[in-house]
């Protein structure tokens, strides 16, 4: 999943909520950031197991794009995101 923000922001966390599909959370994930959507950071967060509602924090960094990659899977379940939230604030000038 890749998201482009309308303008750069200081990102510090992502929330993923599967709501009506409680088993469909990522079994592994990596989060990367970018300012241009072409050059990506090393993963700012990664994990091996999730849950239906997850908050994934990382060191605050400026970015306009965020990419969340599922790195694990369940044989019978999918990865659903009913709500994706970003913790961010406008960068200082």
């Amino acid at each position: 999943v890749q998201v482009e923000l309308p303008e750069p922001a200081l990102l510090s966390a992502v929330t993923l909520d599967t709501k009506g599909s409680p088993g469909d959370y990522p079994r592994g994930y990596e989060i990367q950031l970018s300012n241009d959507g072409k050059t990506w950071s090393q993963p700012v967060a990664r994990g091996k197991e999730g849950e239906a509602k997850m908050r994934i924090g990382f060191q605050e960094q400026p970015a306009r794009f965020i990419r969340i990659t599922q790195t694990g899977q369940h044989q019978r379940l999918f990865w659903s995101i009913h709500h994706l939230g970003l913790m961010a604030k406008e960068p200082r000038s």
Side-chain angles (χ1 to χ4, degrees), residues 6-51:
E7 58 187 51
L10 291 171
L11 300 173
S12 61
V14 172
T15 57
L16 302 173
D17 190 343
T18 64
K19 292 207 185 225
S21 308
D24 289 353
Y25 54 84
R27 291 339 195 248
Y29 60 86
E30 288 185 348
I31 297 176
Q32 295 173 283
L33 303 175
S34 174
N35 290 313
D36 61 11
K38 297 175 185 172
T39 304
W40 293 90
S41 70
Q42 292 296 315
V44 295
R46 59 170 43 126
K48 292 188 179 182
E49 190 64 39
E51 54 190 50

Side-chain angles (χ1 to χ4, degrees), residues 20-83:
S21 308
D24 289 353
Y25 54 84
R27 291 339 195 248
Y29 60 86
E30 288 185 348
I31 297 176
Q32 295 173 283
L33 303 175
S34 174
N35 290 313
D36 61 11
K38 297 175 185 172
T39 304
W40 293 90
S41 70
Q42 292 296 315
V44 295
R46 59 170 43 126
K48 292 188 179 182
E49 190 64 39
E51 54 190 50
K53 189 170 184 177
M54 301 170 52
R55 182 183 185 284
I56 305 164
F58 46 88
Q59 183 175 352
E60 185 177 84
Q61 297 182 49
R64 184 165 181 187
F65 296 82
I66 185 164
R67 180 164 58 192
I68 306 165
T69 304
Q70 177 174 259
T71 60
Q73 64 183 3
H74 187 284
Q75 287 185 312
R76 297 180 313 237
L77 298 173
F78 299 97
W79 178 28
S80 299
I81 300 173
H82 293 258
H83 180 266

